């Protein structure tokens, strides 16, 4: 699980780019890809699109690609289409108000729709969290993106290093002492589950690409 400050927080557009900044499918974009000696495109780092589902009327219709409309952090709304050839996903999770994450997402032009959308073929690179994007960004900033500080009293805990007490479940909430950990248990309980979900999003090397890392295998 993730520990310490997360440089690739949800507000970091380098690792969580808006739709308009995503690479175009099968095009060499040097911001995302490099070319191998065999002439193949390979990611040079990791990125993940994130957006809140704002319209879900077609989400349970396979013939229409389980289409959902999502709002990214810039406020722009675009479509995600599912044409699975691999992986699994509970499509009932695709509901308005939930937030969807797509690793290695790219833009694809759909001529029949005369628009660009994200096309998903491997469902294992998709994760859905049943919480809106603004709330997720708040939790991310509070537990993952701030400097080393006690989640209860706000004290600087840099001197404790890896010895700082932390939540036994998510490891995201850190404390200056055991008393603060125990005193904050009730408050943190309402955030712990979301922190665990975000740990799955952050538990990857965003700086470089070694191999494709799905959310599920």
């Amino acid at each position: 699980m993730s520990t310490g400050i997360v440089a690739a927080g949800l507000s970091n557009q380098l690792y969580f780019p808006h739709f308009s900044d995503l690479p175009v499918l099968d095009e060499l974009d040097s911001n995302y890809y490099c070319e191998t000696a065999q002439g193949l495109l390979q990611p040079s780092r990791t990125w993940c699109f994130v957006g809140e589902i704002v319209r879900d009327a077609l989400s349970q219709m396979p013939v229409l690609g389980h289409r959902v409309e999502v709002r990214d952090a810039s406020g722009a709304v675009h479509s995600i289409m599912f044409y699975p050839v691999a992986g699994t996903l509970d499509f009932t999770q695709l509901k308005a108000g939930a937030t969807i994450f797509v690793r290695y997402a790219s833009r694809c032009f759909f001529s029949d729709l005369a628009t660009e959308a994200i096309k998903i073929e491997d469902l294992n690179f998709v994760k859905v969290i049943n919480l809106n994007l603004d709330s997720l960004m708040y939790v991310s900033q509070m537990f993952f993106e701030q400097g080393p500080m006690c989640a209860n009293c706000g004290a600087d805990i840099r001197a404790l290093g890896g010895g700082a007490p932390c939540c036994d479940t998510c490891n995201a909430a850190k404390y200056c002492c055991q008393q603060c950990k125990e005193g904050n248990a009730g408050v943190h309980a309402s955030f712990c589950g979301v922190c665990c979900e975000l740990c799955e999003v952050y538990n990857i090397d965003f700086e470089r690409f070694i191999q494709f890392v799905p959310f599920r295998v």
Side-chain angles (χ1 to χ4, degrees), residues 173-193:
K174 300 186 183 302
Y175 302 95
C176 62
C177 61
Q178 189 64 28
Q179 288 76 14
C180 269
K181 177 181 175 180
E182 294 172 359
N184 188 239
V187 174
H188 178 64
S190 61
F191 296 102
C192 189

Side-chain angles (χ1 to χ4, degrees), residues 34 73 83 138 202:
C34 59
Y83 295 98
Y138 171 77
Y202 291 139

Side-chain angles (χ1 to χ4, degrees), residues 78-94:
H78 295 278
S79 296
I80 296 180
M81 312 280 285
F82 298 81
Y83 295 98
V85 296
T88 60
L89 180 69
D90 180 2
F91 286 102
T92 63
Q93 293 181 304
L94 300 179

Side-chain angles (χ1 to χ4, degrees), residues 51-174:
E52 179 184 333
I53 299 173
V54 293
R55 287 191 286 275
D56 62 5
L58 307 179
S59 66
Q60 306 306 309
M61 300 182 183
V63 69
L64 297 177
H66 296 281
R67 183 177 179 178
V68 292
E69 306 295 315
V70 300
R71 172 183 63 84
D72 64 23
S74 74
V77 176
H78 295 278
S79 296
I80 296 180
M81 312 280 285
F82 298 81
Y83 295 98
V85 296
T88 60
L89 180 69
D90 180 2
F91 286 102
T92 63
Q93 293 181 304
L94 300 179
K95 297 179 179 179
T99 300
I100 187 168
F101 295 81
V102 184
R103 281 185 178 158
Y104 316 105
S106 58
R107 291 178 287 141
C108 177
F109 184 76
F110 287 79
S111 56
D112 55 334
L113 301 175
T115 189
E116 285 186 318
I118 294 175
K119 180 181 180 181
I120 295 173
E121 294 184 321
D122 192 332
L123 301 177
N124 287 341
F125 291 95
V126 177
K127 178 177 178 60
V128 181
I129 299 179
N130 188 28
L131 194 65
N132 65 68
L133 180 56
D134 291 340
S135 295
L136 281 179
M137 294 187 75
Y138 171 77
V139 175
S140 178
Q141 291 166 1
M142 184 164 57
F143 291 101
F144 294 91
E145 302 175 47
Q146 293 188 17
M149 60 188 338
C150 177
N152 186 51
C153 70
D156 190 321
I157 59 174
R158 280 175 293 187
L160 297 177
C166 61
C167 173
D168 298 322
T169 302
C170 69
N171 289 326
K174 300 186 183 302

